[in-house]
Amino acid sequence: GSDIFVSIHMDSFTNGAAKGTTGYYYSLGSKRSRDLADKIRSGVVDQLGTQSRGTQSSNFYVVKHTDMPATLVEVAFISNPSEERLMNSEAGIKKAAQGIADGIADFFG
């Protein structure tokens, strides 16, 4: 009975230079999932100042097996030293949460 589904993650990669925020959605799912993923990714980028890695289709289980608009957002790379510091700070956590909330508010208009 939910209106939307949002899965919040931190990204990681073997190369510490990888950085940014990515929104994911399942292209064969709800037609509004891409819009939700775009708006949440944009909200996080606006708040944190991270690089936008865009919005991409995915087969992630959590976005594939929903009936409502669904997204998985990779907020930042904890394998990147500066993004890890940001996400280990109270200010960074609050900004990320505000960005997600802003994206949801934008989605619902």
Side-chain angles (χ1 to χ4, degrees):
S2 299
D3 293 324
I4 61 171
F5 177 85
V6 179
S7 186
I8 305 165
H9 294 256
M10 297 299 148
D11 219 336
S12 183
F13 191 63
T14 54
N15 181 343
K19 61 184 178 181
T21 302
T22 313
Y24 291 99
Y25 69 100
Y26 181 58
S27 63
L28 300 178
S30 166
K31 300 302 179 202
R32 297 190 65 210
S33 290
R34 182 184 178 106
D35 187 41
L36 176 64
D38 265 341
K39 288 182 177 354
I40 290 178
R41 178 198 40 79
S42 181
V44 171
V45 167
D46 288 350
Q47 284 292 321
L48 288 178
T50 49
Q51 175 182 315
S52 174
R53 295 174 59 90
T55 301
Q56 304 173 27
S57 178
S58 73
N59 261 342
F60 296 137
Y61 187 90
V62 295
V63 296
K64 186 175 181 177
H65 295 279
T66 62
D67 294 326
M68 73 287 291
T71 185
L72 184 149
V73 59
E74 293 281 5
V75 174
F77 277 80
I78 58 172
S79 54
N80 177 295
S82 63
E83 289 191 357
E84 180 186 24
R85 276 191 302 280
L86 177 64
M87 295 316 304
N88 274 328
S89 72
E90 187 173 335
I93 293 167
K94 286 183 178 181
K95 285 180 180 182
Q98 186 62 58
I100 293 166
D102 290 348
I104 292 170
D106 191 22
F107 176 77
F108 285 110

